[in-house]
Amino acid sequence: MGIRHLIDFSNIDVARWNELVKLTNEIIDSPQDFASACKGKVLATLFYEPSTRTKFSFQTAMLRLGGSYIGFDNAENSSVSKGETLRDTIKIVNNYADIIAMRHPYEGAAYAATLYSSTPVINAGDGGHMHPTQTLADLTTMMREKGTLEGLKIGICGDLKYGRTVHSLLKAMSLFKNNKFYLISTESLSTPKYIIDEIVKSGNSYVECDSLDKYIDEFDCLYMTRIQQERFASEEEYLAQKGIFVLDEAKMKKARKDLIIMHPLPKIDEITDEVDFDPRALYFKQAKYGMYARMALIKTLLSEDFELPERPVPSNLNNVFCSNHKCITRLEPNLPAQFGGEEGARFCKYCDFEAIEWR
Ligand code: NCD
């Protein structure tokens, strides 16, 4: 069975990933062969949260496949501002578009859309949860520049708590073998438990530390991220975390000659200007790889057979609740609660947060 949506990598195994990489490489090597691959198809970009590169990257990807796009990038200008539910918006957009790319400030929103959508849904970022198409850009970069996704030493630095690109990168890289992750952050912005659990389950190794210098001479790849200001409860909390990790020339002198530096962008103050001119800085190229990876994804999802989902079944556990106040089920209580795991260790299927059981 193929993939119907791309939400969080749970439905992608190594074989599927390798097919996507192969197609991405074919597109990079001869984009003209794909100029009509999605002719007549329409992509809807539903961006409930700001974006520059991700939205443009999706739209350009569709145009370069011969398709076209519709969409909004400010929910205030759509019926959402009149109180329309996500379910209704999706069902309306299904009438007009063949595929949806969606970004939302609430965690689990893209998963919620899949429960009702009669077309494929791509998660273009759901709150601080996941951002799988950024990961396609990241993995394509590593594959093209390092030639492998195994046996790598990868430093990941910055906001590992709210950074959705970090969560989906770690989840995807855990599909591959013998990688070592160096998780560099302050204690309060460290990696969530559900992601650490994925690394442990996969047999890859990790170390958590609060210094960018300490292991920099070991890395094959260094993934820098910005502190996610918009996810903090107050300006004060953000300012306490800002500017702690900065990649500068002095640190680059200690790093390997064949290091690659990645960043999902936008960058704020975590990389100094002079590092942009270092040939090891690949983040602008990474954004270009992202467009090709999105072309491969759109083409793949549009070639799969698609059946209308059955009406979703709500959990019968009336004493269980999601603990995440930024979960889409809090914003839209009509969505059917769904939990995975077992008694004592249940999690919300929308956002992966721990579920609370009232006894
Ligand atoms: C990232 C995002 O939106 O999470 N940006 C992007 O999609 N390229 C990273 C970020 O905003 O820090």
Side-chain angles (χ1 to χ4, degrees):
M1 202 186 79
I3 38 171
R4 291 163 45 149
H5 309 283
L6 182 67
I7 303 304
D8 68 354
F9 281 109
S10 303
N11 54 351
I12 301 230
D13 56 13
V14 175
R16 288 304 296 195
W17 166 248
N18 287 339
E19 279 171 34
L20 268 177
V21 172
K22 190 166 164 277
L23 181 58
T24 306
N25 280 327
E26 284 167 19
I27 296 174
I28 295 175
D29 295 337
S30 60
Q32 66 284 359
D33 293 351
F34 297 86
S36 305
C38 294
K39 195 160 180 258
K41 300 287 183 188
V42 177
L43 163 77
T45 51
L46 311 185
F47 277 63
Y48 294 76
E49 207 184 39
S51 163
T52 318
R53 81 219 78 243
T54 306
K55 188 187 65 194
F56 286 164
S57 176
F58 269 113
Q59 294 176 344
T60 320
M62 193 50 161
L63 293 174
R64 284 174 185 267
L65 290 166
S68 48
Y69 67 83
I70 56 167
F72 58 76
D73 52 11
N74 178 356
E76 294 306 309
N77 294 338
S78 75
S79 292
V80 176
S81 65
K82 301 179 190 165
E84 184 171 71
T85 62
L86 180 61
R87 185 177 75 190
D88 286 359
T89 305
I90 294 297
K91 292 189 90 60
I92 290 300
V93 173
N94 280 166
N95 291 326
Y96 310 138
D98 303 285
I99 183 163
I100 294 173
M102 180 179 144
R103 169 171 287 193
H104 200 286
Y106 275 70
E107 282 132 37
Y111 174 74
T114 67
L115 298 179
Y116 304 104
S117 184
S118 59
T119 69
V121 176
I122 302 172
N123 183 5
D126 60 329
H129 184 219
M130 291 279 165
H131 190 349
T133 63
Q134 178 59 47
T135 305
L136 295 184
D138 305 340
L139 270 62
T140 304
T141 307
M142 287 190 268
M143 197 64 199
R144 298 278 299 189
E145 303 292 332
K146 288 282 160 197
T148 179
L149 297 173
E150 294 189 344
L152 294 173
K153 294 189 169 177
I154 306 171
I156 305 184
C157 176
D159 189 341
L160 311 191
K161 178 179 181 188
Y162 298 118
R164 55 194 174 194
T165 64
V166 172
H167 305 159
S168 37
L169 176 62
L170 285 165
K171 189 161 178 183
M173 285 306 285
S174 294
L175 289 172
F176 301 90
K177 303 269 172 276
N178 301 324
N179 290 309
K180 181 162 183 183
F181 307 112
Y182 300 77
L183 306 175
I184 307 156
S185 72
T186 59
E187 203 183 336
S188 43
L189 294 186
S190 62
T191 318
K193 185 175 172 302
Y194 72 90
I195 297 294
I196 297 285
D197 290 346
E198 290 281 341
I199 302 174
V200 172
K201 203 169 69 190
S202 74
N204 287 288
S205 58
Y206 75 97
V207 39
E208 290 185 290
C209 73
D210 61 3
S211 157
L212 178 51
D213 274 297
K214 193 167 175 190
Y215 300 105
I216 199 163
D217 57 334
E218 296 186 20
F219 303 153
D220 296 292
C221 312
L222 173 58
Y223 194 88
M224 295 296 294
T225 63
R226 78 181 165 95
I227 306 301
Q228 304 279 304
Q229 178 171 12
E230 65 278 28
R231 315 259 177 246
F232 285 79
S234 70
E235 174 84 1
E236 211 182 357
E237 281 174 59
Y238 165 65
L239 292 176
Q241 297 293 333
K242 184 179 145 52
I244 295 180
F245 300 106
V246 178
L247 183 63
D248 57 15
E249 255 183 326
K251 292 193 187 72
M252 288 303 294
K253 285 207 175 92
K254 296 188 202 156
R256 282 173 29 191
K257 293 273 173 292
D258 63 348
L259 170 76
I260 60 169
I261 309 163
M262 299 194 288
H263 193 306
L265 303 176
K267 58 187 172 62
I268 312 299
D269 55 5
E270 59 280 1
I271 297 183
T272 59
D273 280 357
E274 72 265 27
V275 176
D276 283 359
F277 298 96
D278 189 306
R280 293 170 288 182
L282 287 197
Y283 23 87
F284 296 113
K285 200 171 180 189
Q286 181 185 355
K288 187 160 186 184
Y289 285 142
M291 177 190 70
Y292 291 122
R294 289 183 175 101
M295 287 172 75
L297 177 68
I298 293 170
K299 180 176 181 310
T300 302
L301 290 175
L302 284 177
S303 348
E304 308 280 354
D305 288 338
F306 200 96
E307 288 155 31
L308 196 67
E310 283 175 17
R311 188 176 172 162
V313 183
S315 156
N316 56 7
L317 300 163
N318 294 328
N319 60 336
V320 179
F321 303 88
C322 174
S323 62
N324 177 13
H325 72 282
K326 291 291 285 181
C327 177
I328 188 71
T329 57
R330 295 285 182 101
L331 182 71
E332 304 220 353
N334 291 338
L335 290 168
Q338 292 187 350
F339 302 102
E342 298 183 346
E343 197 177 341
R346 290 196 206 280
F347 62 91
C348 172
K349 277 201 180 168
Y350 291 80
C351 69
D352 286 313
F353 267 61
E354 207 180 313
I356 310 168
E357 297 184 37
W358 298 104
R359 283 164 201 284

